Amino acid sequence: LTQTLTVTKPNNASVINTPRISPTTAYTSDTLLGYCNATDDDEDNITYYHKWYNDSVLYSSGNDSGGNTQGIEVNLNNISSSWTTKGENWIFSCLGNDGTYNSSWLNSSAKTIDNEAPTSAARIAPTTAYANDTLIGYCNSTDADGDTIQYNYTWYLDGSTNTTGNDSGGNTQGIEKNVANISSSSLAKDQVWTLSCLANDGALDSSWTNSSDVTIGNLAPVMNTSIILHDLHPTSSSIIMTSQFS
């Protein structure tokens, strides 16, 4: 008598590894990348299900089409930078299915959207200037978080600090601001003037940014008066003209 014993190996559910959000440090200008990874002792292919949470509230969910190799991390779903705001906490949750069984849901670490420092720019008008002009100093800034901006400025004359200051703040990012001027009484031919600006969003500073240099040009002289003298003589006459310039 011969007996055949058939042993069926039980299918084991997949095990989800800790999901991951990239980048490590995230700002409002970044896209959040959500990754899932599951291991399966039976080496079954995996279908992933995901959930995004924003400040513990379900934001979106879905799944991919399956066929993923177990043990290999997959970028499953992303959150556009246009959907994030400074101070939010995002969590990515994953579940793996091996065609028969589901793993448990597992959450990533929370990813906080950090404050991003503003940028700054500086400009002097006019770009071609003379000693009878006023130099007009402008600062500008972009801030990815949309924060209002306070400007700090420094005027340099021939490379040395001439004057410094700041405005009262509350400036809309992306809109140029006239922060401080240099009057014509302070200008002289061949001087080189530079404006430097720093932007603060209430928490973080930009770097200092310099304008292009403006060199005070040479003014052409102006003729104020002309005097014509007639020299009358019995045998000849001449005209003499004298001019005064300033």
Side-chain angles (χ1 to χ4, degrees), residues 187-220:
L187 304 185
K189 183 182 70 172
D190 295 332
Q191 290 176 337
V192 178
W193 287 87
T194 309
L195 176 67
S196 189
C197 293
L198 176 146
N200 177 277
D201 67 0
L204 297 175
D205 290 336
S206 72
S207 57
W208 284 96
T209 304
N210 290 349
S211 68
S212 298
D213 293 341
V214 171
T215 301
I216 307 304
N218 182 39
L219 272 172

Side-chain angles (χ1 to χ4, degrees), residues 125-147:
T127 54
T128 300
Y130 301 97
N132 59 353
D133 288 320
T134 294
L135 299 184
I136 303 173
Y138 295 93
C139 294
N140 201 353
S141 172
T142 57
D143 187 273
D145 310 304
D147 298 323

Side-chain angles (χ1 to χ4, degrees), residues 162-173:
N162 178 267
T163 184
T164 63
N166 59 269
D167 70 0
S168 58
N171 302 291
T172 302
Q173 65 91 25

Side-chain angles (χ1 to χ4, degrees), residues 25-237:
T25 302
Y27 302 101
T28 50
S29 57
D30 291 321
T31 295
L32 301 183
L33 309 179
Y35 292 88
C36 295
N37 190 3
T39 54
D40 189 274
D41 288 344
D42 310 304
E43 296 189 353
D44 296 324
N45 287 336
I46 305 297
T47 299
Y48 288 114
Y49 294 78
H50 73 271
K51 296 178 181 178
W52 281 101
Y53 293 91
N54 181 7
D55 292 335
S56 300
V57 177
L58 180 63
Y59 184 83
S60 67
S61 62
N63 61 273
D64 69 1
S65 58
N68 301 290
T69 302
Q70 66 88 29
I72 296 178
E73 189 178 58
V74 176
N75 175 206
L76 192 65
N77 192 258
N78 303 325
I79 296 293
S80 167
S81 60
S82 62
W83 301 340
T84 65
T85 301
K86 178 181 68 175
E88 291 176 338
N89 291 288
W90 287 84
I91 292 173
F92 189 57
S93 188
C94 294
L95 175 148
N97 177 278
D98 66 1
T100 304
Y101 296 114
N102 290 332
S103 72
S104 58
W105 284 97
L106 190 62
N107 291 346
S108 70
S109 300
K111 183 71 64 178
T112 300
I113 306 301
D114 288 341
N115 181 39
E116 189 166 1
T119 64
S120 62
R123 182 174 70 90
I124 300 173
T127 54
T128 300
Y130 301 97
N132 59 353
D133 288 320
T134 294
L135 299 184
I136 303 173
Y138 295 93
C139 294
N140 201 353
S141 172
T142 57
D143 187 273
D145 310 304
D147 298 323
T148 57
I149 301 296
Q150 182 183 41
Y151 290 114
N152 296 269
Y153 63 86
T154 300
W155 280 100
Y156 293 94
L157 170 56
D158 295 333
S160 298
T161 299
N162 178 267
T163 184
T164 63
N166 59 269
D167 70 0
S168 58
N171 302 291
T172 302
Q173 65 91 25
I175 297 179
E176 194 174 54
K177 171 72 177 296
N178 174 208
V179 291
N181 303 329
I182 301 295
S183 70
S184 59
S185 61
S186 298
L187 304 185
K189 183 182 70 172
D190 295 332
Q191 290 176 337
V192 178
W193 287 87
T194 309
L195 176 67
S196 189
C197 293
L198 176 146
N200 177 277
D201 67 0
L204 297 175
D205 290 336
S206 72
S207 57
W208 284 96
T209 304
N210 290 349
S211 68
S212 298
D213 293 341
V214 171
T215 301
I216 307 304
N218 182 39
L219 272 172
V222 176
M223 186 172 67
N224 295 325
T225 60
S226 294
I227 302 173
I228 300 177
L229 302 176
H230 292 267
D231 182 17
L232 299 180
H233 192 273
T235 59
S236 65
S237 66

